[in-house]
Structures are given as C-alpha cells and as structure tokens.
Amino acid sequence: MPPASAMVAPSAARQEMAPAAMLPPPLGIIPTVDMSAPAGRGELARRLVRACAERGFFRAVNHGVPRRAAAGLDAAASAFFARPAREKQAAGPPDPLGYGSRNIGANGDVGELEYLILHADPAAVARKAEFIDREDPSRFSEAVNEYVDAVRRLACRVLDLLGEGLGLRDPTSLSRLISAVDADSLLRINHYPPSRAAQDTGGRSCTADGPKSGDGSGNGNGGAMGIGFGEHTDPQILSLLRANDVDGLQVLLPDGHGDGWVPVPADPSAFFINVGDLLQALTNGRLVSIRHRVMANSTSRSRLSAIYFAAPPLHARIAALPETVTPAAPRRYRPFTWAEYKKAMYAHRLSHNRLDLFQVADDSDQ
C-alpha cells in the first residue's frame, strides 16, 4: 500500500494549482488581442478592458478589416506621396485638414514626415480628392471610403466590447458617439521618408537615452534629431493605427508597467489600437490614454501609416459614465464638449497633458 503522503499529494497539488489555472493569461509588455474571440466574447471583453486599463493600447489580430481595403488605401497614399512637392502642396495647407510637411499644428512642433489629414465623411473626402488625385478623384475617394468604413466598424466593435467589459448598463453608449452621422472622426496618413538624421548617425537612434516624458518641446527628447512625430496622447475616443513593416512607433507605458520608451515592432497585418483622452475621461480614468511617438530612424525605407481617429460630434458632452463614478473613485474630470476640448488641443503643443486642464478642482465640480 502506498504511503499516506503519496495518497494525499495529488489532491493537495490540485488545490495549489487551481488558483493559478484560473488566472487570466499575462498581458505582456505589448498586449495582443485576438478579435476572433477564441475563448468567447466575455473573455475578449475582459481582456480588452485589462489591456486598455493597464497598458492603454493593444495589438489587434484577426480584426476583420479586409486586406483589400488596407492595400487599396496604401496604394492610393503611396501614389500621392510620390508626386512632386508642388502637386502635393495643392492639397494643403493643413487647416487642420489637408496636406502638410514637417510642421505639426501651429505651435512649433515639427517632425520628419509629410501627411494627409482627412475628415472621415465621404462628402469631405470627395472635396479633398479633387486636389489629391486630379486624374481620377473618385479613385482616391473610393479607396479612403472603403478603408474608413471597415475601420469604423472595428472601432465600434472594440467600444461595444469595452462597454460590456466595464459593465455599462448600455454597452453601446461608447460606440454610438462615433457612429453618429455628424461624428468628427478623422483619417490621418503619415509618410516618413528615410531619415536624414539616421543617415548622419549611421542608423543609430539619437534618442535612446531620452527622458520619460515631454519637456514642452513636443518632441519628447529635448529636440534631438530622429523624431518623426513627437510625444503626445491622442485627443479623441479611440485610435486605430496600421503601418507597413518599417519600425518607428514607441509607447510610454502607464506608471508601474515599464521604464522609458518601449519600441513596438511593426506588423502590417495588425492594428495597434490605443485609448484616447476622451475615453479616459468617459471612463473616469479607468482606461488610460497612452503617450506615444514615432522615431524616424530608417535609413533606406519609408514608413507609411494610417490612423483612424474615432471621435464624437463636436457638440457631444463628455462626462464620466455613471458606472465609473463611485465613492472610492470620485469624478476626476468636469464635463466638457468635444468642441471645447479641440479648442484646448489646438492651443497647446503636442506633449501637453490636455486632460489636466479639465480636472475637477474641488467638491463643487463633482
């Protein structure tokens, strides 16, 4: 007969292993979320909330955006950026929509890039297309509209899942903000040519030892060379970024989850989705708007990226959802409109912590 210790060991082992087996899988530094929900919709919703609360962003795979839509937009964008400078400038200046080069906004921020900013509304795209593709404006419009339609649906799905994971009484309350007919969503297409700064330094990163947060320059590194797009958070609700296979994106993880800038390996088959300022305010700070930047360190190949900024109508009132305000978590931000927040955004540099301007000052603002 086996000894008593051998008879009880399996049961004890099962008891010790059970709690660990019930723990959710680790997020990793760069969370990956399979949008096909292999473990079920509930688990997908919980993982999305956890990624957005602890990291502020995630890498979405099996996202459902057709490859054809992505390839069509890339081809249209590449054709435009390959045009002579004079032709591209006819689609600008960015006021704030249109073509721009190097200058980012009106407050002195610069970067090693050129870009197109388009309103996501098909009528607005058609108007700009007249200057972007003079030979066949509809060719550009169709590529943009097909892409925007697919990415908007992905954004709505993510927001609905976040609503479920947060336990909102109406899980669609977030997605309805960006699906309104007068939503103020944008598409930004960035083109980072091979970096002159990286060529001058033999391809080394000029900012490996840069500070952890902005210094007011908007570049997040005291003005060092090699910045494609300076340190910032995105002001809207949700941002969905897809890029080619050239690296450059870096994120500054929330407190306690990293030390310094973390490079995000390029993956043209995935979307990198991050929380915006408005979503942080709507969730009373539970979901975190992450600071990020793009380095322009490629010496031989261009980086091309497209970012869909999901935003509400200008008149939309942004206030913490009731389920996110408790005695233990009082209201952190006063209510404001998206128009009011945009005004503050345009008045400050990229690296400014804009949400600080809307923090609750005292009990009277609760």
Side-chain angles (χ1 to χ4, degrees), residues 56 96-97 117-119 155 159 174 177-178 183-188 229 232-240 274-283 287-290 292 307-314 318 336 338 341-342 345-346 350 354-355:
L97 305 179
I117 305 177
L118 305 167
H119 199 283
L159 291 173
L174 295 172
L177 286 169
I178 70 166
D184 192 42
S185 300
L186 302 177
L187 179 69
R188 183 183 186 109
F229 203 110
H232 64 287
T233 60
D234 292 335
Q236 294 88 352
I237 291 177
L238 202 68
S239 302
L240 296 87
N274 65 274
V275 174
D277 294 348
L278 296 192
L279 188 53
Q280 178 169 323
L282 286 162
T283 61
L287 306 186
V288 181
S289 181
I290 189 172
H292 53 285
I307 311 98
Y308 176 74
F309 297 106
L314 289 171
I318 305 301
F336 54 87
W338 170 225
Y341 198 79
K342 282 186 75 172
M345 175 187 73
Y346 288 130
L350 275 177
R354 296 172 294 257
L355 268 178

Side-chain angles (χ1 to χ4, degrees), residues 143-185:
V144 169
N145 292 336
E146 181 181 6
Y147 183 82
V148 165
D149 181 65
V151 179
R152 181 192 292 115
R153 283 187 272 113
L154 174 59
C156 287
R157 183 170 178 235
V158 169
L159 291 173
D160 285 345
L161 285 161
L162 287 172
E164 293 173 23
L166 290 167
L168 303 184
R169 284 187 288 273
D170 179 5
T172 68
S173 57
L174 295 172
S175 66
R176 283 191 285 105
L177 286 169
I178 70 166
S179 57
V181 293
D182 54 348
D184 192 42
S185 300

Side-chain angles (χ1 to χ4, degrees), residues 48-213:
L48 283 173
V49 169
R50 187 178 170 210
C52 291
E54 297 183 17
R55 301 290 189 271
F57 86 117
F58 60 93
R59 170 177 168 266
V61 299
N62 296 321
H63 43 70
V65 174
R67 292 182 181 178
R68 182 188 65 188
L73 181 71
D74 288 352
S78 296
F80 171 76
F81 289 123
R83 293 178 179 272
R86 178 178 293 182
E87 292 185 24
K88 291 185 286 189
Q89 289 164 0
D95 54 353
L97 305 179
Y99 171 77
S101 178
R102 288 189 57 79
N103 293 317
I104 304 170
N107 297 306
D109 293 297
V110 296
E112 293 189 28
L113 83 163
E114 57 181 343
Y115 55 87
L116 272 173
I117 305 177
L118 305 167
H119 199 283
D121 175 64
V125 172
R127 289 192 294 270
K128 274 296 179 185
E130 298 288 339
F131 302 96
I132 294 171
D133 187 347
R134 292 182 181 273
E135 292 87 1
D136 187 358
S138 63
R139 174 174 55 190
F140 183 84
S141 293
E142 289 170 4
V144 169
N145 292 336
E146 181 181 6
Y147 183 82
V148 165
D149 181 65
V151 179
R152 181 192 292 115
R153 283 187 272 113
L154 174 59
C156 287
R157 183 170 178 235
V158 169
L159 291 173
D160 285 345
L161 285 161
L162 287 172
E164 293 173 23
L166 290 167
L168 303 184
R169 284 187 288 273
D170 179 5
T172 68
S173 57
L174 295 172
S175 66
R176 283 191 285 105
L177 286 169
I178 70 166
S179 57
V181 293
D182 54 348
D184 192 42
S185 300
L186 302 177
L187 179 69
R188 183 183 186 109
I189 309 172
N190 291 332
H191 174 238
Y192 303 88
S195 172
R196 291 170 294 179
Q199 291 169 357
D200 293 342
T201 59
R204 300 186 307 274
S205 170
C206 298
T207 58
D209 298 320
K212 290 182 63 176
S213 59

Side-chain angles (χ1 to χ4, degrees), residues 320-332:
L321 296 162
E323 296 89 343
T324 67
V325 180
T326 68
R331 189 181 303 276
R332 292 179 58 180

Side-chain angles (χ1 to χ4, degrees), residues 259-341:
D259 183 20
W261 290 99
V262 176
V264 179
D267 182 353
S269 68
F271 276 86
F272 292 91
I273 301 179
N274 65 274
V275 174
D277 294 348
L278 296 192
L279 188 53
Q280 178 169 323
L282 286 162
T283 61
N284 202 33
R286 181 169 176 186
L287 306 186
V288 181
S289 181
I290 189 172
R291 301 185 74 81
H292 53 285
R293 67 183 183 183
V294 176
M295 305 303 297
N297 287 325
S298 174
T299 60
S300 59
R301 299 183 57 222
S302 296
R303 174 180 166 89
L304 184 69
S305 64
I307 311 98
Y308 176 74
F309 297 106
L314 289 171
H315 59 78
R317 183 177 184 269
I318 305 301
L321 296 162
E323 296 89 343
T324 67
V325 180
T326 68
R331 189 181 303 276
R332 292 179 58 180
Y333 308 103
R334 66 171 178 82
F336 54 87
T337 65
W338 170 225
E340 185 181 359
Y341 198 79

